[in-house]
Amino acid sequence: MTHFDFPDRLVQAQAAWYATYRELAAAGGAPGQITALRRRLHRLSGQIATDPYWASLPGRAPAARMALKELSWEGRG
């Protein structure tokens, strides 16, 4: 696998996305909590997708996005 030098902000945002997703899956039926978690996922998704880092990888961004997801998933503890 190709190594990408991800900025910390991007790794942290992806890790927060996974953590929030897990919280949402465990939230049960609390509507207020579900709404807040969905909003957070939406915000984090936008933050990740629009990060300036992706512009530095023309033609390689899809592979880098997968590498970021794998890195963040592995570090979930």
Side-chain angles (χ1 to χ4, degrees), residues 26-72:
Q33 183 182 16
I34 290 171
T35 299
L37 291 169
R38 285 184 177 164
R39 285 183 180 153
R40 183 159 195 238
L41 276 179
H42 190 264
R43 183 182 54 78
L44 287 166
S45 294
Q47 182 181 340
I48 293 164
T50 61
D51 193 281
Y53 175 76
W54 305 122
S56 71
L57 303 169
R60 297 175 53 211
R65 288 176 192 256
M66 289 308 301
L68 174 66
K69 289 178 180 186
E70 290 173 10
L71 173 70
S72 299

Side-chain angles (χ1 to χ4, degrees), residues 6-24:
F6 297 112
D8 288 339
R9 69 179 180 277
L10 198 50
V11 175
Q12 291 171 358
Q14 185 67 58
W17 192 97
Y18 280 127
T20 303
Y21 189 85
R22 286 190 297 275
E23 283 182 62
L24 180 59

